């Protein structure tokens, strides 16, 4: 009798967890439909993809169910061979970086990196993945991660960085020297933010100048200083850098 009761209790708990999980995934699916990229969750202990929002163009034209079935094998099969080293470094050196952090710090740090993946036409496209730990095991190891995948705003693969929303610095991994270096986030001035905001709305220099009640030459001056500050050559590169580094 006792065994039967325990069995029923376990079944009830399983059903409750399953319903809660389905509800949680439905929310993520809805969010995934309204963002530029795709969201997926990975169980690192089983190396299985538990959930992925439907964005076929980021996953070689495969359906989410097909990607989930492949799990980590998907990346070994569809990532560019030359970029497999990048993925390996993320899952060795990247996660080794987390070992010196406590549980809360682990959840506030994100690994971001770029690599090529074959699209539905077997052409290599550069994508960006941002990984954030969401579950830590009793031993203190990262057991589950959530990732946002999108088209990369960089020109080359690599760009392995660890950032935190609680720090003004970030860490960049050099694939040649195999070492981490600490760098500091760039802070934009209010005028620079205003100009970028209006550029993102599609306004021209003359239209921006009119909006801000200054001359076009003043806008060009601020734009030139901005290019120098973030190390780019044109407004397209500037917008790409600012968006990818969450500067506004």
């Amino acid at each position: 009798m006792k065994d039967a009761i325990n069995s029923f209790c376990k079944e009830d708990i399983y059903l409750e967890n399953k319903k809660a999980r389905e509800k949680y995934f439905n929310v993520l699916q809805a969010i995934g439909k309204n963002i530029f990229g795709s969201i997926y969750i990975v169980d690192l202990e089983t190396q299985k993809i538990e959930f992925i929002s439907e964005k076929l163009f980021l996953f070689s034209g495969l359906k989410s169910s097909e990607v989930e079935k492949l799990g980590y094998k998907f990346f070994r099969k569809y990532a560019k061979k030359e970029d497999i080293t990048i993925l390996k470094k993320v899952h060795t050196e990247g996660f080794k970086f987390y070992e010196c952090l406590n549980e809360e710090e682990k959840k506030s740090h994100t690994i971001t990196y770029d690599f090529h993946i074959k699209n539905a036409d077997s052409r290599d496209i550069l994508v960006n993945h941002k990984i954030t730990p969401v579950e830590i095991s009793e031993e203190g190891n990262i057991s589950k991660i959530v990732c946002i995948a999108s088209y990369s705003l960089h020109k080359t693969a690599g760009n392995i960085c660890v950032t935190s929303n609680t720090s003004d610095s970030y860490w960049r991994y050099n694939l040649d020297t195999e070492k981490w270096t600490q760098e500091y986030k760039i802070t934009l001035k209010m005028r620079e933010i205003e100009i970028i905001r209006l550029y993102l709305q599609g306004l021209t220099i003359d239209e921006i100048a009119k909006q801000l009640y200054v001359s076009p030459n003043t806008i060009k001056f601020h734009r030139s200083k901005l290019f120098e500050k973030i190390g780019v050559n044109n407004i397209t590169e500037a917008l790409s850098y600012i968006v990818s580094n969450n500067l506004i």
Side-chain angles (χ1 to χ4, degrees):
M1 183 67 177
K2 186 177 179 180
D3 290 340
I5 292 174
N6 288 335
S7 178
F8 280 124
C9 288
K10 288 180 180 179
E11 186 175 350
D12 287 341
I13 293 172
Y14 171 78
L15 291 174
E16 287 179 8
N17 289 339
K18 184 178 181 182
K19 289 179 181 178
R21 182 180 173 184
E22 289 176 351
K23 185 177 180 180
Y24 176 64
F25 286 170
N26 286 337
V27 170
L28 288 179
Q29 194 68 260
I31 294 173
K33 292 177 181 178
N34 292 285
I35 65 172
F36 175 66
S38 174
I39 304 171
Y40 67 87
I41 296 175
V42 177
D43 185 321
L44 294 181
E45 295 179 347
T46 62
Q47 291 198 343
K48 290 183 178 180
I49 297 176
E50 293 188 337
F51 166 85
I52 182 169
S53 58
E54 202 78 59
K55 288 289 173 68
L56 306 185
F57 54 86
L58 289 168
F59 293 95
S60 306
L62 300 184
K63 294 181 179 179
S64 59
S65 57
E66 295 174 312
V67 180
E68 288 175 13
K69 186 176 181 179
L70 284 170
Y72 265 27
K73 291 180 182 178
F74 167 81
F75 298 104
R76 290 193 287 268
K77 184 175 182 179
Y78 290 96
K80 188 176 181 179
K81 288 184 179 180
E82 292 82 349
D83 291 352
I84 293 295
T85 299
I86 295 171
L87 302 184
K88 288 181 178 178
K89 289 297 181 182
V90 168
H91 290 279
T92 54
E93 301 304 318
F95 284 101
K96 189 183 294 182
F97 183 95
Y98 281 84
E99 292 178 1
C100 61
L101 304 176
N102 62 41
E103 184 172 332
E104 289 306 312
E105 287 174 333
K106 286 175 182 176
K107 292 181 180 180
S108 68
H109 283 71
T110 295
I111 302 177
T112 177
Y113 55 99
D114 302 293
F115 65 101
H116 291 90
I117 204 159
K118 293 187 181 300
N119 66 5
D121 299 324
S122 294
R123 287 182 290 183
D124 293 325
I125 60 171
L126 190 60
V127 296
N128 173 266
H129 282 211
K130 291 182 174 67
I131 290 175
T132 305
V134 292
E135 190 173 292
I136 311 298
S137 68
E138 293 181 358
E139 293 77 22
N141 300 318
I142 299 171
S143 54
K144 286 188 182 181
I145 58 173
V146 63
C147 178
I148 296 179
S150 62
Y151 285 130
S152 173
L153 295 176
H154 290 103
K155 295 180 180 179
T156 58
N159 310 304
I160 303 173
C161 290
V162 174
T163 62
S164 171
N165 54 15
T166 61
S167 174
D168 292 330
S169 65
Y170 62 96
W171 293 84
R172 185 182 299 276
Y173 185 77
N174 189 309
L175 287 165
D176 295 323
T177 63
E178 298 187 338
K179 292 182 178 179
W180 292 96
T181 56
Q182 186 178 19
E183 300 181 15
Y184 291 88
K185 297 176 183 177
I186 294 171
T187 302
L188 300 184
K189 296 179 179 179
M190 185 56 66
R191 179 62 82 187
E192 292 169 337
I193 293 174
E194 289 177 330
I195 291 172
I196 290 299
R197 176 176 60 81
L198 294 171
Y199 261 117
L200 288 170
Q201 292 177 6
L203 274 62
T204 64
I205 288 178
D206 289 341
E207 290 170 333
I208 293 173
K210 188 175 181 180
Q211 284 267 355
L212 300 180
Y213 302 101
V214 297
S215 70
N217 284 336
T218 299
I219 299 300
K220 290 178 182 178
F221 171 78
H222 285 296
R223 189 182 65 171
S224 176
K225 288 296 182 181
L226 175 62
F227 291 173
E228 185 179 333
K229 178 188 289 188
I230 62 179
V232 299
N233 299 310
N234 54 59
I235 191 61
T236 301
E237 291 180 0
L239 294 176
S240 174
Y241 181 94
I242 289 168
V243 171
S244 63
N245 288 281
N246 298 316
L247 297 185
I248 58 173

